[in-house]
Amino acid sequence: MPNKKSTMLTYITETPQQLATNTDNRKALTQSLVDIYLKKSLQQYGLLLVVLVLTVLNVPNHL
């Protein structure tokens, strides 16, 4: 079967599942960024980093 070309509808259709996958894997997806933060190399950006991670993960109720 030949590869099917992706269209905008493909991405729209796949978005809910991708969001669920990202949410389920949120710790693994953000672990390296959290590790860098904890090593204090980005300490001056602390609050911005936390807000960014929570926004990307669509978790506004933690703010």
Side-chain angles (χ1 to χ4, degrees):
M1 176 180 246
N3 288 340
K4 194 174 179 182
K5 186 174 181 177
S6 295
T7 66
M8 190 64 189
L9 184 58
T10 306
Y11 297 113
I12 291 169
T13 304
E14 293 174 353
T15 296
Q17 180 57 47
Q18 188 60 53
L19 288 172
T21 299
N22 289 355
T23 302
D24 291 344
N25 297 317
R26 64 189 175 275
K27 288 184 180 180
L29 292 171
T30 59
Q31 189 63 53
S32 61
L33 191 57
V34 170
D35 289 344
I36 291 169
Y37 174 73
L38 292 175
K39 290 179 183 175
K40 297 185 180 189
S41 61
L42 293 178
Q43 187 173 10
Q44 66 268 27
Y45 301 109
L47 182 58
L48 177 62
L49 178 64
V50 170
V51 171
L52 176 62
V53 168
L54 292 175
T55 302
V56 168
L57 294 176
N58 196 18
V59 190
N61 59 334
H62 285 41
L63 293 176

